[in-house]
């Protein structure tokens, strides 16, 4: 796995489970996903955009296609009950869509938009990126 260095700050035995709350763990894995997507050529725009409908974890710009990319990051300790990507429910997708509409209106963006999911699995130190997820 070529992105193992992204996991160095979040390794087993670092106290992640005991000393950090769920939101802090989420922020750490969002940072892993952010660094991964930057390495893939996307340009970081913003993180944790909140609206009354919910939150958008990460927002990127893909220069090649002139596309604004909204990214949901899902973390799983292991894949026993399904992959991280499979955990993004239809309800969550609808909240992201509603929140993205607020963002698009606020920024007056009327060009290409895409919705991706990045699944991070600590157990296998893997990252799965699903483009055009919904």
């Amino acid at each position: 796995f070529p992105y193992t260095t992204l996991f160095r700050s979040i390794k087993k035995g670092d106290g992640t489970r005991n000393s950090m709350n769920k939101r802090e763990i989420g922020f750490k894995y969002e940072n892993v996903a952010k660094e991964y997507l930057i390495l893939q050529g996307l340009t970081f725009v913003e993180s944790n955009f909140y609206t009354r409908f919910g939150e958008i974890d990460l927002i990127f710009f893909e220069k090649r296609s002139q596309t604004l990319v909204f990214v949901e990051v899902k973390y799983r300790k292991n894949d026993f009950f399904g992959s991280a990507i499979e955990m993004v429910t239809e309800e969550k997708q609808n909240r992201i869509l509603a929140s993205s509409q607020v963002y698009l209106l606020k920024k007056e963006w009327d060009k290409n938009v895409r919705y991706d999911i990045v699944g991070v699995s600590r157990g296998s130190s893997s990252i799965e990126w699903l483009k055009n997820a919904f």
Side-chain angles (χ1 to χ4, degrees):
F1 178 74
Y3 303 102
T4 305
T5 56
L6 295 175
F7 288 90
R8 282 191 185 145
S9 65
I10 312 170
K11 58 185 180 217
K12 191 172 182 177
D14 71 351
T16 299
R17 200 74 177 129
N18 299 325
S19 62
M20 298 175 69
N21 67 37
K22 188 175 179 180
R23 190 65 200 136
E24 290 170 326
I25 293 168
F27 283 136
K28 280 213 172 246
Y29 284 100
E30 284 173 14
N31 193 51
V32 168
K34 174 183 164 185
E35 295 301 320
Y36 173 81
L37 293 172
I38 289 169
L39 288 171
Q40 300 306 308
L42 297 181
T43 302
F44 176 72
V45 175
E46 189 171 338
S47 63
N48 306 112
F49 178 76
Y50 295 96
T51 71
R52 67 185 185 117
F53 304 108
E55 173 197 6
I56 298 172
D57 293 331
L58 300 170
I59 303 170
F60 282 87
F61 180 69
E62 185 178 66
K63 188 174 183 176
R64 180 180 42 81
S65 63
Q66 296 293 295
T67 300
L68 196 62
V69 183
F70 296 99
V71 180
E72 171 67 8
V73 178
K74 245 349 187 182
Y75 156 75
R76 297 287 288 179
K77 184 176 177 182
N78 58 56
D79 291 342
F80 293 145
F81 300 106
S83 72
I85 285 178
E86 293 172 315
M87 299 300 121
V88 180
T89 65
E90 185 177 343
E91 179 183 341
K92 180 63 175 175
Q93 291 174 23
N94 289 333
R95 289 195 309 260
I96 293 167
L97 289 168
S99 294
S100 71
Q101 293 305 307
V102 172
Y103 186 88
L104 295 170
L105 287 170
K106 180 179 174 183
K107 300 296 182 176
E108 299 181 0
W109 182 264
D110 63 353
K111 298 176 186 153
N112 300 330
V113 175
R114 188 175 80 213
Y115 299 89
D116 294 359
I117 302 172
V118 172
V120 181
S121 176
R122 187 178 84 184
S124 61
S125 294
S126 68
I127 297 173
E128 187 178 5
W129 179 19
L130 182 60
K131 296 179 183 180
N132 285 313
F134 54 96

